[in-house]
Amino acid sequence: MQALHKLTAIKIKSLSPGKYCDGGNLWLNKRDDGGSQWFLRFTIHGRRREMGLGSARLVSLKEARELAKRWRSVLLAGKDPIKERERLKREAARGQNSLRTVAEEAFEARKAELKDDGKSGRWYSPLDLHVLPKLGKVPIEEIDQQDIKNVLQPIWHTKADTARKAMNRLNIVINHGAAMGLDVDLQAIEKAKALLGKSRHTANHIPALPWVEVPAFYASLDDGTLTQLALRLLILTALRSGSIRFCRLDQIDGKLWTVPAENMKSQKGKESEFRVPLSKEALAVIAQAAPHARDGFLFPSVRKGVISDATMSNYMKRQGMEARPHGFRSSFRTWCAEVADVPQEVAETALAHVSGGAVERAYRRTDFLEKRRVLMERWSQHVIGDMGNQISIFPKRGRNNE
């Protein structure tokens, strides 16, 4: 057996730079800069390893020997002292690795993938509202399927979409915990789903005005207020309200409006700017709203910024309507299918939807701008009541029209 206690406190002070063995696998490393560290040298599973035991300035010779003795006993038990120390550190830090702490770390790690760095709060809010109030202080390593079931059961059948999002976010957080080296249950989400069962919730689609009734509603928007003008442009372009509300005059060049990526609905961090062909009627609406522009925004609010997300929706409520602004996208899409006979890929692109498989999209490098220009002009003719002859905008595809 290797001799022990070869060094003394006095001898250590006079040692020149180098590595010195005290016996029992305990070594002292004296550096050229005057610093020195204790380390334990051992071999396990055929691999030679060195485990730091602290600075000689902070850890005395006696303390270093006690540490070495402790970790040698771990080595004799067939365990790697370094890994065992890491395990004990994780164990001691379990209280610090609460679900809320790990959730916040996971959120920070994913901000770059989220629209506007997640400032809207939509990614985090399902957790913040429905999970963290009850489980936020619980160490993530203790979270199991029963905890998840209990916290989501109240909304599982009544707010199915929110519950689904909360479950999805929680799964991301648990996987983030696993990446941190925490002993989490990666199957907890699937087990919780099994306990909760199938949701009885029936999805309610946003009410939409039938396309045949759109011209009458459009004609009623004749007061020239910013709210009515915003609704008119929303109907004519079939865009979401966010794109309309944040429309800037410098985004419009002639008959083309380029909506920046941040004003389009996020597609898992892959959103891009969207070109919108403007019909004659849409250009007229923009010209009518332009004198009211402030700070470059076409639809400014009374005080600061732009009109709120609820402005157009509340207007329709006051008119006693069930339909909502987002529903005009459905009106447009139904009109495309029933009247205009528009190819699916063109109609879906007009709505800024992703259509087709990944391979198909990789080879189809077009946004059908010119075809959409014809389409949106025809849609505006329908909206303002100039019905014309309801014939197909695009010829039927056949052997001679491919």
Side-chain angles (χ1 to χ4, degrees), residues 14-256:
S14 62
L15 290 174
S16 58
K19 293 182 179 181
Y20 302 90
C21 181
D22 182 56
N25 299 331
L26 176 62
W27 287 75
L28 176 68
N29 178 30
K30 294 206 71 175
R31 302 195 312 267
D32 292 332
D33 61 5
S36 54
Q37 286 81 33
W38 297 107
F39 68 91
L40 188 70
R41 178 179 289 171
F42 59 91
T43 301
I44 188 168
H45 308 311
R47 182 169 57 159
R48 182 172 171 175
R49 309 204 72 185
E50 292 184 354
M51 176 182 182
L53 299 179
S55 167
R57 184 174 60 85
L58 302 175
V59 179
S60 68
L61 175 59
K62 181 180 178 181
E63 290 170 334
R65 287 170 176 169
E66 290 173 353
L67 287 171
K69 181 179 179 181
R70 174 188 175 187
W71 294 117
R72 279 198 302 269
S73 64
V74 172
L75 184 63
L76 289 172
K79 298 178 182 179
D80 185 332
I82 294 177
K83 290 189 176 181
E84 181 65 10
R85 183 169 63 179
E86 291 173 351
R87 185 190 68 79
L88 291 172
K89 282 183 179 179
R90 290 195 300 269
E91 190 73 23
R94 285 184 70 181
Q96 299 175 11
N97 291 319
S98 66
L99 180 62
R100 181 179 293 278
T101 300
V102 179
E104 290 171 353
E105 284 195 29
F107 177 53
E108 285 294 326
R110 278 154 185 79
K111 275 188 175 181
E113 304 173 17
L114 305 175
K115 185 175 181 180
D116 198 22
D117 285 340
K119 290 180 181 177
S120 67
R122 291 180 181 177
W123 191 94
Y124 199 72
S125 61
L127 287 173
D128 206 28
L129 292 174
H130 301 286
V131 178
L132 297 180
K134 293 183 178 179
L135 297 179
K137 295 181 180 180
V138 179
I140 192 172
E141 292 168 301
E142 295 181 11
I143 300 291
D144 61 19
Q145 64 269 24
Q146 196 65 47
D147 295 319
I148 299 169
K149 175 205 167 188
N150 292 341
V151 80
L152 292 180
Q153 194 167 41
I155 62 171
W156 189 248
H157 299 294
T158 57
K159 298 180 179 179
D161 189 54
T162 300
R164 177 188 60 79
K165 289 179 181 178
M167 192 80 86
N168 172 269
R169 308 296 195 268
L170 191 52
N171 190 48
I172 290 173
V173 172
I174 290 174
N175 276 275
H176 189 83
M180 292 169 61
L182 304 178
D183 186 19
V184 296
D185 184 358
L186 292 174
Q187 300 301 315
I189 294 296
E190 292 304 315
K191 294 174 186 175
K193 287 180 181 178
L195 292 176
L196 287 163
K198 186 176 181 180
S199 174
R200 294 191 297 269
H201 177 77
T202 302
N204 294 319
H205 297 292
I206 296 175
L209 200 65
W211 63 265
V212 294
E213 298 178 22
V214 173
F217 175 71
Y218 186 88
S220 73
L221 303 171
D222 57 359
D223 287 347
T225 63
L226 281 181
T227 300
Q228 291 191 1
L229 290 171
L231 271 169
R232 282 195 162 196
L233 190 60
L234 179 142
I235 293 170
L236 291 165
T237 58
L239 289 175
R240 296 178 177 86
S241 62
S243 301
I244 300 297
R245 291 166 47 233
F246 289 95
C247 176
R248 294 180 59 89
L249 289 172
D250 56 13
Q251 297 168 0
I252 299 169
D253 184 11
K255 298 179 180 180
L256 186 67

Side-chain angles (χ1 to χ4, degrees), residues 283-319:
L283 288 169
V285 171
I286 291 170
Q288 193 174 352
H292 302 284
R294 187 177 70 237
D295 298 328
F297 290 110
L298 193 62
F299 301 109
S301 68
V302 176
R303 295 183 180 85
K304 186 179 180 181
V306 299
I307 58 176
S308 74
D309 194 31
T311 301
M312 290 181 276
S313 182
N314 288 338
Y315 174 85
M316 296 179 73
K317 282 184 183 178
R318 291 195 298 271
Q319 306 310 306

